[in-house]
Amino acid sequence: MISLIKLDASFGKSLRKRRLAKLFSQEALSIESNLSRAYLSDLETGKKDPSLFTVFKLAGALKIKPSILIGEVETQFE
């Protein structure tokens, strides 16, 4: 069974990896996604869980498909 805490931590790890691969600071991703930097920090540290809308906003800002973010999380639970 997947716990919400592990799921949030896994998503945060994937988001941070993708953000750094694009050489974005949290501030830059905040501007591109129209989400607060504090919220992005909370996502990356697993303190918050994103809505589907948020996943799409982040993927758009990172110029990747939302399925890539979700897929990376999914592989950690196989």
Side-chain angles (χ1 to χ4, degrees), residues 15-41 44 58 61-62:
L15 176 60
R16 178 173 161 69
K17 177 182 129 187
R18 289 292 172 168
R19 176 178 62 77
L20 293 175
K22 296 287 185 177
L23 303 177
F24 279 179
S25 64
Q26 284 183 343
E27 188 65 30
L29 183 55
S30 170
I31 292 165
E32 288 295 316
S33 64
N34 199 30
L35 297 167
S36 77
R37 193 215 49 81
Y39 181 61
L40 291 176
S41 177
E44 287 187 2
L58 291 167
L62 293 167

Side-chain angles (χ1 to χ4, degrees), residues 39-54:
Y39 181 61
L40 291 176
S41 177
D42 285 347
L43 287 173
E44 287 187 2
T45 57
K47 293 177 184 171
K48 299 276 185 181
D49 56 317
S51 68
L52 187 55
F53 183 68
T54 297

